[in-house]
């Protein structure tokens, strides 16, 4: 079993910074890839970034120069740092994980998902 929990979301002003965390528990030794997605109301879920234990990394169209990401060495936590937040970043941010290596960063590539954390950026 694998459980993913996102944290770090909230209501911020444009220009503020947030650090989102995805923490895995359970059979974390099986995790090989982790990623971040986001979904605004009424829109499709968007791929942000994902990486795996082999060093592969993929960036989605939602990725931009204001973001950075990191995964701890134990591969049970993945961070998404958001600097200079903009209203367009408002969304529910989901983390995902899989036992397989990273492929294309598609939703169906990941078998395990967190429940999401809300990020709201006011202008």
């Amino acid at each position: 079993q694998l459980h993913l929990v996102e944290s770090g979301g909230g209501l911020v002003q444009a220009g503020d910074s947030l650090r989102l965390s995805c923490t895995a528990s359970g059979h974390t030794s099986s995790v090989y890839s982790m990623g971040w997605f986001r979904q605004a109301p009424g829109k499709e879920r968007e791929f942000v970034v994902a990486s795996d234990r082999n060093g592969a990394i993929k960036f989605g169209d939602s990725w931009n120069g204001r973001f950075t990401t990191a995964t701890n060495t134990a591969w049970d936590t993945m961070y998404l740092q958001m600097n200079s937040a903009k209203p367009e970043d408002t969304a529910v941010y989901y983390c995902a994980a899989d036992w397989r290596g990273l492929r294309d960063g598609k939703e169906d590539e990941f078998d395990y998902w967190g429940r999401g954390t809300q990020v709201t950026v006011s202008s």
Side-chain angles (χ1 to χ4, degrees), residues 1-2 27 29-33 97-101 109 111-112:
Q1 297 181 3
L2 187 68
H27 194 193
S29 62
S30 66
V31 175
Y32 201 84
S33 61
D98 200 78
W99 296 347
R100 298 164 294 182
E109 180 179 333
D111 289 336
Y112 302 95

Side-chain angles (χ1 to χ4, degrees), residues 41-104:
K43 295 185 178 180
E44 296 291 327
R45 189 168 299 179
E46 300 175 329
F47 171 56
V48 181
V49 64
S51 60
D52 69 21
R53 292 177 183 258
N54 199 43
I57 187 166
K58 295 287 186 180
F59 302 99
D61 291 339
S62 297
W63 182 262
N64 61 74
R66 298 177 290 106
F67 295 174
T68 60
T69 188
T71 305
N72 68 348
T73 56
W75 271 86
D76 59 14
T77 305
M78 188 176 186
Y79 303 98
L80 178 63
Q81 177 73 34
M82 303 171 60
N83 299 316
S84 301
K86 298 181 178 181
E88 65 191 65
D89 297 323
T90 296
V92 177
Y93 284 73
Y94 298 91
C95 68
D98 200 78
W99 296 347
R100 298 164 294 182
L102 182 63
R103 293 188 292 167
D104 300 319

